[in-house]
Amino acid sequence: MKTTKNVIGLGLILTGLLLPQLSNAQKITQKNTTIIISGTSPMHDWEMKGATSTFTGLVAGNAITNVSLTVPVKTLSAEKGKIMEKKAYEALKSDKAPKASLP
């Protein structure tokens, strides 16, 4: 009987401590996040920009977890022009996978 009361009491204390932390967590979703992808090749440095991506995550305190980023590949544009874009789309296999995603 005493053990049962101790377990219930401990459960109530833990619930009181953990529940406020869980309720402070917020899901964030940001559409139209600007994304910049930079890289190098044997010929030159390159950069592609996109303004049509979706970012989601769970914010709790100063940590962001469950992060997901999705970018429609053919919305990325290159400073170096259409030839660079075509090569990037081919490398990313945009016909088979029109969206690039991080978990």
Side-chain angles (χ1 to χ4, degrees), residues 19-92:
L19 192 57
Q21 295 297 321
L22 293 175
S23 65
N24 288 338
Q26 297 179 18
K27 183 175 181 178
I28 56 173
T29 300
Q30 177 66 39
K31 293 186 179 185
N32 298 329
T33 304
T34 301
I35 185 166
I36 299 172
I37 302 170
S38 301
T40 61
S41 74
M43 298 178 68
H44 55 76
D45 293 344
W46 55 269
E47 184 174 277
M48 295 186 81
K49 295 180 182 178
T52 311
S53 59
T54 303
F55 172 83
T56 60
L58 185 63
V59 178
N62 62 356
I64 301 175
T65 58
N66 298 334
V67 172
S68 173
L69 176 69
T70 303
V71 180
V73 174
K74 289 193 176 179
T75 63
L76 297 171
S77 61
E79 291 179 348
K80 303 274 184 193
K82 297 290 181 190
I83 294 173
M84 179 64 191
E85 289 173 9
K86 183 179 176 187
K87 288 183 181 196
Y89 299 159
E90 287 174 5
L92 292 169

Side-chain angles (χ1 to χ4, degrees), residues 1-13:
M1 183 73 164
K2 188 174 181 179
T3 303
T4 304
K5 287 182 183 180
N6 288 342
V7 170
I8 292 172
L10 182 61
L12 290 173
I13 290 170

